[in-house]
Amino acid sequence: MTDGHVSPFPSALVLDTSFLRTIGGTDSDPYQTFVQYVRDNGVELYLSERVVEELTEQQGYLSIDWVDRAETTAWISIVDSIQPGVRVHDGPRAGELMDRVHERLAEYEQTDPDELRKTDSELPAVAVTLLGSTQHESVGIVMDDRNAERSISGVIKNTYYEGRIRVLNIWETIDYIESRNK
């Protein structure tokens, strides 16, 4: 975990494309473990608009259609659109977080910010939207991308969102879930 701990596990998770690609399909153990935990513990899963775009583009490379699951099951939802002006208490606005993460990620990736997709930078903005519009006390962002993890964690550090928006590495998340299922 980028933020150093898993417990208490968030009741809402925003899933990144890297997580969905790495976890595999319905026949993989990590997928089965993750989905069983989500269903058994009432964890709500969310996909952002940009993740949906990426999944649609990569449909032939993924073993299940996550977008279809979001449209046909109750345990995963698509977040329509973020509101850049939303903020919770004295935390930065969603749009500010998105811009700062995007700039930091461009530095790590050594890429022109205008050429870098905004999928990863959108994820903390989605988390702010969920914190402001749902009953969740914390929202996890699950991914398998070290640069994005570092970018998001660095931006939310020392803000109201530190501890409320949690960046979770896929493998440490799966290890935690497996330890709970024993």
Side-chain angles (χ1 to χ4, degrees), residues 9-173:
F9 200 74
S11 59
L13 298 176
V14 178
L15 307 178
D16 182 42
T17 311
S18 63
F19 168 79
L20 298 172
R21 189 174 41 247
T22 304
I23 198 167
T26 55
D27 58 345
S28 78
D29 288 339
Y31 173 91
Q32 291 297 327
T33 299
F34 180 72
V35 170
Q36 179 180 343
Y37 182 86
V38 164
R39 288 178 173 171
D40 290 350
N41 293 281
V43 176
E44 294 181 35
L45 304 179
Y46 296 92
L47 301 177
S48 73
E49 284 185 332
R50 285 192 169 99
V51 166
V52 168
E53 287 174 22
E54 284 187 355
L55 292 173
T56 302
E57 290 169 7
Q58 299 176 19
Q59 194 169 15
Y61 301 103
L62 297 170
S63 53
I64 67 166
D65 186 351
W66 285 95
V67 178
D68 180 61
R69 294 276 161 105
E71 293 172 345
T72 59
T73 63
W75 49 273
I76 186 166
S77 303
I78 296 173
V79 177
D80 290 328
S81 61
I82 60 165
Q83 301 298 319
V86 170
R87 74 183 201 182
V88 180
H89 296 287
D90 65 349
R93 297 189 188 288
E96 292 173 57
L97 282 180
M98 188 171 168
D99 291 344
R100 286 195 243 161
V101 168
H102 192 71
E103 290 170 11
R104 189 175 281 217
L105 187 56
E107 288 176 26
Y108 287 140
E109 299 283 337
Q110 299 179 346
T111 303
D112 182 334
D114 294 333
E115 295 176 18
L116 186 66
R117 290 185 86 148
K118 291 191 174 187
T119 306
D120 293 334
S121 12
E122 179 186 59
L123 300 175
V126 170
V128 170
T129 300
L130 292 173
L131 285 173
S133 64
T134 65
Q135 296 298 315
H136 300 293
E137 293 183 20
S138 68
V139 176
I141 300 172
V142 188
M143 56 184 14
D144 188 22
D145 180 334
R146 294 283 183 217
N147 287 338
E149 290 173 29
R150 288 183 0 193
S151 298
I152 296 168
S153 294
V155 168
I156 63 174
K157 187 174 183 163
N158 297 321
T159 71
Y160 174 82
Y161 304 121
E162 186 173 15
R164 290 174 177 85
I165 297 175
R166 311 224 348 254
V167 181
L168 307 172
N169 169 283
I170 179 179
W171 300 116
E172 291 173 353
T173 299

